[in-house]
Amino acid sequence: MKKQMFAVIACLAAGVMISSCNKNDKQQASQPNPVSNDVLAQIKASGFSTDNVQKTEDGYLVEGDILLTEQQLREKVGTPTLRIANDEQYRTNNLVSALPRVITVKVTGLGTAFIAGTDTAIARYNRLGLRITFQRITSGTPDITLQGFNQGPSGGYITLGSSGFPSGGNPYPTVKMNTNQYAYGSNPNVLYVGSVIQHEIGHCIGMRHTDYMNRAYSCGGSAVNEGDGGVGAVLIPGTPSGPDANSWMLACSNGGNRTFNANDIIALNYLYH
């Protein structure tokens, strides 16, 4: 999940000259893209945006906060292509299986606000009475590990957190939360942090961005429509055919507390009740 920022303000707050920011932006833009054309084609064929793809140690970060591994890009999926993109709720072809199921979550190397935020997100899911529930543990091997990374603003946005999609019937095993000061400040708001964790857990159990085919809806900027990507974005029956401004799975944060709305609950009940 990303949060839109004003790049000039961010630079001034950091005590950096505006010209330096512009120079750095140009240098970054002139650097060769480390993502090959073959990989970009695989990403596009899987139904994801190829804008601003970032190579990471775990795979490729797409759409701001979704981690696709090399293995996931190689997988051949057989789910039929369904209608895509009008800000409804969407899932991936892979979901968590072996229900009912308790998914364990452990927070490592993060402060108290992230621990409390995790508890907030878990409580929100568990109140829905789904056939998947979550439990935070402090020892043992969890199903999902929350850990930190530190990355500053880029291109007027800052990444708040990242995760990936289920594989083999299991949730994606890692949620990464940004510890940079521009993400949550020096005294993070627990409800804000919890909302981002709630969003990233949504990816871990198979949810796509509600506005993934027009990220400008929540992120601003120019509208980008990738068209029918082929697979990987399945419309969840019963969710709306028009914009859904308060969904917990919008691509970009509103900078505050955001939880499930009525349509989100319909989507989760359809998949996991």
Side-chain angles (χ1 to χ4, degrees), residues 75-108:
E75 288 176 352
K76 302 294 183 182
V77 290
T79 300
T81 300
L82 299 182
R83 184 167 61 90
I84 296 177
N86 255 335
D87 299 292
E88 306 98 330
Q89 273 74 8
Y90 290 86
R91 66 172 177 87
T92 61
N93 294 311
N94 297 319
L95 297 173
V96 175
S97 60
L99 308 179
R101 182 170 180 176
V102 177
I103 297 174
T104 55
V105 181
K106 183 162 68 174
V107 182
T108 61

Short mmCIF file of all heavy atoms in Angstrom, two decimals, residues 75-108:
data_model
loop_
_atom_site.label_atom_id
_atom_site.label_comp_id
_atom_site.label_asym_id
_atom_site.label_seq_id
_atom_site.Cartn_x
_atom_site.Cartn_y
_atom_site.Cartn_z
N GLU A 75 4.11 -20.00 -12.66
CA GLU A 75 2.94 -20.87 -12.53
C GLU A 75 1.95 -20.61 -13.65
O GLU A 75 1.68 -19.48 -14.03
CB GLU A 75 2.25 -20.65 -11.18
CG GLU A 75 3.04 -21.21 -10.01
CD GLU A 75 2.38 -20.90 -8.68
OE1 GLU A 75 1.39 -20.13 -8.67
OE2 GLU A 75 2.85 -21.42 -7.65
N LYS A 76 1.36 -21.67 -14.17
CA LYS A 76 0.31 -21.58 -15.17
C LYS A 76 -1.03 -21.74 -14.46
O LYS A 76 -1.27 -22.75 -13.80
CB LYS A 76 0.46 -22.68 -16.23
CG LYS A 76 1.80 -22.64 -16.95
CD LYS A 76 1.95 -21.37 -17.79
CE LYS A 76 3.26 -21.38 -18.56
NZ LYS A 76 3.46 -20.15 -19.34
N VAL A 77 -1.89 -20.75 -14.59
CA VAL A 77 -3.18 -20.81 -13.91
C VAL A 77 -4.27 -21.07 -14.92
O VAL A 77 -4.22 -20.62 -16.07
CB VAL A 77 -3.45 -19.50 -13.15
CG1 VAL A 77 -2.52 -19.37 -11.97
CG2 VAL A 77 -3.29 -18.30 -14.06
N GLY A 78 -5.31 -21.80 -14.49
CA GLY A 78 -6.34 -22.21 -15.42
C GLY A 78 -7.68 -21.58 -15.18
O GLY A 78 -8.65 -21.94 -15.85
N THR A 79 -7.79 -20.66 -14.23
CA THR A 79 -9.07 -20.03 -13.96
C THR A 79 -9.49 -19.18 -15.15
O THR A 79 -8.70 -18.41 -15.67
CB THR A 79 -8.98 -19.14 -12.71
OG1 THR A 79 -8.61 -19.97 -11.61
CG2 THR A 79 -10.31 -18.48 -12.41
N PRO A 80 -10.75 -19.29 -15.59
CA PRO A 80 -11.18 -18.50 -16.74
C PRO A 80 -11.06 -17.01 -16.47
O PRO A 80 -11.20 -16.55 -15.34
CB PRO A 80 -12.66 -18.90 -16.90
CG PRO A 80 -12.80 -20.20 -16.18
CD PRO A 80 -11.80 -20.16 -15.07
N THR A 81 -10.79 -16.26 -17.52
CA THR A 81 -10.76 -14.81 -17.41
C THR A 81 -12.18 -14.30 -17.22
O THR A 81 -13.08 -14.66 -17.96
CB THR A 81 -10.18 -14.20 -18.70
OG1 THR A 81 -8.86 -14.70 -18.86
CG2 THR A 81 -10.15 -12.69 -18.61
N LEU A 82 -12.37 -13.46 -16.23
CA LEU A 82 -13.67 -12.88 -15.97
C LEU A 82 -13.61 -11.37 -16.17
O LEU A 82 -12.55 -10.80 -16.37
CB LEU A 82 -14.12 -13.21 -14.53
CG LEU A 82 -14.26 -14.70 -14.22
CD1 LEU A 82 -14.76 -14.88 -12.80
CD2 LEU A 82 -15.20 -15.39 -15.20
N ARG A 83 -14.76 -10.73 -16.11
CA ARG A 83 -14.82 -9.29 -16.32
C ARG A 83 -13.95 -8.58 -15.28
O ARG A 83 -13.94 -8.92 -14.11
CB ARG A 83 -16.28 -8.81 -16.19
CG ARG A 83 -16.45 -7.34 -16.49
CD ARG A 83 -17.92 -7.02 -16.68
NE ARG A 83 -18.68 -7.31 -15.48
CZ ARG A 83 -18.89 -6.43 -14.50
NH1 ARG A 83 -18.38 -5.23 -14.58
NH2 ARG A 83 -19.61 -6.75 -13.45
N ILE A 84 -13.25 -7.57 -15.73
CA ILE A 84 -12.26 -6.92 -14.89
C ILE A 84 -12.51 -5.43 -14.79
O ILE A 84 -12.88 -4.79 -15.75
CB ILE A 84 -10.83 -7.17 -15.47
CG1 ILE A 84 -10.52 -8.67 -15.43
CG2 ILE A 84 -9.78 -6.42 -14.71
CD1 ILE A 84 -9.19 -9.00 -16.03
N ALA A 85 -12.34 -4.91 -13.60
CA ALA A 85 -12.05 -3.50 -13.38
C ALA A 85 -13.17 -2.51 -13.45
O ALA A 85 -13.44 -1.90 -14.43
CB ALA A 85 -10.98 -3.02 -14.32
N ASN A 86 -13.86 -2.31 -12.43
CA ASN A 86 -14.68 -1.13 -12.24
C ASN A 86 -14.77 -0.81 -10.76
O ASN A 86 -15.80 -0.39 -10.27
CB ASN A 86 -16.10 -1.32 -12.80
CG ASN A 86 -16.31 -0.58 -14.09
OD1 ASN A 86 -15.65 0.40 -14.34
ND2 ASN A 86 -17.23 -1.05 -14.89
N ASP A 87 -13.69 -1.04 -10.05
CA ASP A 87 -13.62 -0.75 -8.63
C ASP A 87 -14.49 -1.68 -7.80
O ASP A 87 -14.95 -1.32 -6.73
CB ASP A 87 -14.00 0.72 -8.34
CG ASP A 87 -13.05 1.68 -9.02
OD1 ASP A 87 -11.89 1.73 -8.63
OD2 ASP A 87 -13.49 2.34 -9.95
N GLU A 88 -14.74 -2.90 -8.29
CA GLU A 88 -15.38 -3.90 -7.46
C GLU A 88 -14.30 -4.61 -6.64
O GLU A 88 -13.13 -4.27 -6.71
CB GLU A 88 -16.13 -4.92 -8.33
CG GLU A 88 -17.13 -4.32 -9.30
CD GLU A 88 -16.56 -4.19 -10.70
OE1 GLU A 88 -15.34 -4.01 -10.82
OE2 GLU A 88 -17.33 -4.24 -11.66
N GLN A 89 -14.72 -5.64 -5.87
CA GLN A 89 -13.74 -6.44 -5.15
C GLN A 89 -13.27 -7.59 -6.03
O GLN A 89 -14.08 -8.23 -6.71
CB GLN A 89 -14.35 -6.99 -3.85
CG GLN A 89 -14.24 -6.06 -2.65
CD GLN A 89 -15.20 -4.90 -2.72
OE1 GLN A 89 -16.06 -4.86 -3.59
NE2 GLN A 89 -15.07 -3.95 -1.82
N TYR A 90 -11.97 -7.83 -6.01
CA TYR A 90 -11.36 -8.87 -6.82
C TYR A 90 -10.46 -9.75 -5.97
O TYR A 90 -9.84 -9.29 -5.02
CB TYR A 90 -10.53 -8.26 -7.95
CG TYR A 90 -11.38 -7.60 -9.00
CD1 TYR A 90 -11.78 -6.28 -8.86
CD2 TYR A 90 -11.81 -8.31 -10.10
CE1 TYR A 90 -12.59 -5.68 -9.80
CE2 TYR A 90 -12.62 -7.72 -11.06
CZ TYR A 90 -13.01 -6.41 -10.91
OH TYR A 90 -13.81 -5.83 -11.83
N ARG A 91 -10.39 -11.01 -6.39
CA ARG A 91 -9.48 -11.95 -5.74
C ARG A 91 -8.50 -12.49 -6.78
O ARG A 91 -8.69 -12.35 -7.98
CB ARG A 91 -10.25 -13.11 -5.13
CG ARG A 91 -10.93 -14.02 -6.16
CD ARG A 91 -11.50 -15.24 -5.48
NE ARG A 91 -12.22 -16.13 -6.37
CZ ARG A 91 -11.67 -17.09 -7.10
NH1 ARG A 91 -10.36 -17.27 -7.08
NH2 ARG A 91 -12.40 -17.87 -7.87
N THR A 92 -7.46 -13.14 -6.30
CA THR A 92 -6.54 -13.83 -7.19
C THR A 92 -7.08 -15.23 -7.46
O THR A 92 -8.06 -15.67 -6.85
CB THR A 92 -5.14 -13.94 -6.56
OG1 THR A 92 -5.24 -14.69 -5.35
CG2 THR A 92 -4.57 -12.56 -6.28
N ASN A 93 -6.40 -15.96 -8.34
CA ASN A 93 -6.80 -17.33 -8.60
C ASN A 93 -6.50 -18.25 -7.43
O ASN A 93 -7.10 -19.31 -7.29
CB ASN A 93 -6.08 -17.85 -9.85
CG ASN A 93 -6.53 -17.10 -11.10
OD1 ASN A 93 -7.72 -16.95 -11.35
ND2 ASN A 93 -5.57 -16.62 -11.88
N ASN A 94 -5.55 -17.88 -6.60
CA ASN A 94 -5.16 -18.69 -5.45
C ASN A 94 -5.74 -18.12 -4.17
O ASN A 94 -5.66 -16.92 -3.92
CB ASN A 94 -3.63 -18.75 -5.34
CG ASN A 94 -2.99 -19.43 -6.54
OD1 ASN A 94 -3.50 -20.43 -7.04
ND2 ASN A 94 -1.89 -18.89 -7.01
N LEU A 95 -6.30 -19.01 -3.35
CA LEU A 95 -6.86 -18.64 -2.06
C LEU A 95 -6.29 -19.54 -0.98
O LEU A 95 -5.60 -20.53 -1.26
CB LEU A 95 -8.39 -18.75 -2.08
CG LEU A 95 -9.15 -17.84 -3.05
CD1 LEU A 95 -10.62 -18.21 -3.08
CD2 LEU A 95 -8.97 -16.37 -2.68
N VAL A 96 -6.58 -19.21 0.27
CA VAL A 96 -6.19 -20.07 1.39
C VAL A 96 -7.18 -21.22 1.46
O VAL A 96 -8.40 -21.02 1.35
CB VAL A 96 -6.18 -19.28 2.70
CG1 VAL A 96 -5.89 -20.20 3.88
CG2 VAL A 96 -5.16 -18.15 2.63
N SER A 97 -6.68 -22.44 1.63
CA SER A 97 -7.53 -23.63 1.67
C SER A 97 -7.41 -24.34 3.01
O SER A 97 -6.84 -23.81 3.95
CB SER A 97 -7.17 -24.56 0.51
OG SER A 97 -5.82 -24.97 0.60
N ALA A 98 -7.95 -25.56 3.09
CA ALA A 98 -7.98 -26.37 4.31
C ALA A 98 -8.71 -25.65 5.43
O ALA A 98 -8.22 -25.52 6.55
CB ALA A 98 -6.57 -26.76 4.74
N LEU A 99 -9.92 -25.17 5.10
CA LEU A 99 -10.74 -24.44 6.07
C LEU A 99 -11.60 -25.41 6.88
O LEU A 99 -11.95 -26.47 6.41
CB LEU A 99 -11.62 -23.44 5.33
CG LEU A 99 -10.90 -22.49 4.36
CD1 LEU A 99 -11.91 -21.57 3.68
CD2 LEU A 99 -9.85 -21.68 5.07
N PRO A 100 -12.00 -25.04 8.10
CA PRO A 100 -11.63 -23.81 8.83
C PRO A 100 -10.17 -23.86 9.25
O PRO A 100 -9.60 -24.93 9.42
CB PRO A 100 -12.57 -23.83 10.03
CG PRO A 100 -12.88 -25.27 10.25
CD PRO A 100 -12.91 -25.90 8.88
N ARG A 101 -9.61 -22.69 9.47
CA ARG A 101 -8.17 -22.61 9.70
C ARG A 101 -7.81 -21.40 10.54
O ARG A 101 -8.36 -20.31 10.34
CB ARG A 101 -7.47 -22.54 8.35
CG ARG A 101 -5.96 -22.50 8.40
CD ARG A 101 -5.42 -22.68 7.00
NE ARG A 101 -3.97 -22.65 6.98
CZ ARG A 101 -3.24 -22.86 5.90
NH1 ARG A 101 -3.86 -23.14 4.74
NH2 ARG A 101 -1.92 -22.81 5.94
N VAL A 102 -6.88 -21.59 11.46
CA VAL A 102 -6.32 -20.48 12.25
C VAL A 102 -4.98 -20.12 11.64
O VAL A 102 -4.09 -20.97 11.52
CB VAL A 102 -6.14 -20.86 13.73
CG1 VAL A 102 -5.49 -19.70 14.49
CG2 VAL A 102 -7.48 -21.23 14.36
N ILE A 103 -4.82 -18.87 11.22
CA ILE A 103 -3.57 -18.38 10.64
C ILE A 103 -2.80 -17.64 11.72
O ILE A 103 -3.29 -16.65 12.28
CB ILE A 103 -3.86 -17.46 9.44
CG1 ILE A 103 -4.57 -18.24 8.33
CG2 ILE A 103 -2.57 -16.83 8.92
CD1 ILE A 103 -5.02 -17.40 7.17
N THR A 104 -1.61 -18.12 12.01
CA THR A 104 -0.80 -17.50 13.06
C THR A 104 0.06 -16.39 12.48
O THR A 104 0.55 -16.48 11.35
CB THR A 104 0.10 -18.54 13.76
OG1 THR A 104 0.89 -19.22 12.77
CG2 THR A 104 -0.76 -19.55 14.52
N VAL A 105 0.24 -15.34 13.27
CA VAL A 105 0.96 -14.14 12.85
C VAL A 105 1.97 -13.78 13.94
O VAL A 105 1.64 -13.77 15.12
CB VAL A 105 -0.01 -12.95 12.63
CG1 VAL A 105 0.75 -11.72 12.16
CG2 VAL A 105 -1.11 -13.32 11.65
N LYS A 106 3.19 -13.48 13.54
CA LYS A 106 4.22 -13.06 14.50
C LYS A 106 4.86 -11.77 14.02
O LYS A 106 5.19 -11.62 12.85
CB LYS A 106 5.28 -14.15 14.67
CG LYS A 106 6.33 -13.79 15.73
CD LYS A 106 7.11 -15.01 16.22
CE LYS A 106 8.01 -15.60 15.18
NZ LYS A 106 8.87 -16.68 15.73
N VAL A 107 5.06 -10.82 14.95
CA VAL A 107 5.71 -9.55 14.66
C VAL A 107 7.16 -9.64 15.13
O VAL A 107 7.42 -9.97 16.29
CB VAL A 107 5.00 -8.39 15.36
CG1 VAL A 107 5.65 -7.05 15.01
CG2 VAL A 107 3.51 -8.37 15.01
N THR A 108 8.10 -9.34 14.23
CA THR A 108 9.51 -9.43 14.60
C THR A 108 10.21 -8.11 14.30
O THR A 108 10.06 -7.55 13.21
CB THR A 108 10.23 -10.56 13.83
OG1 THR A 108 10.17 -10.31 12.42
CG2 THR A 108 9.57 -11.90 14.11
#
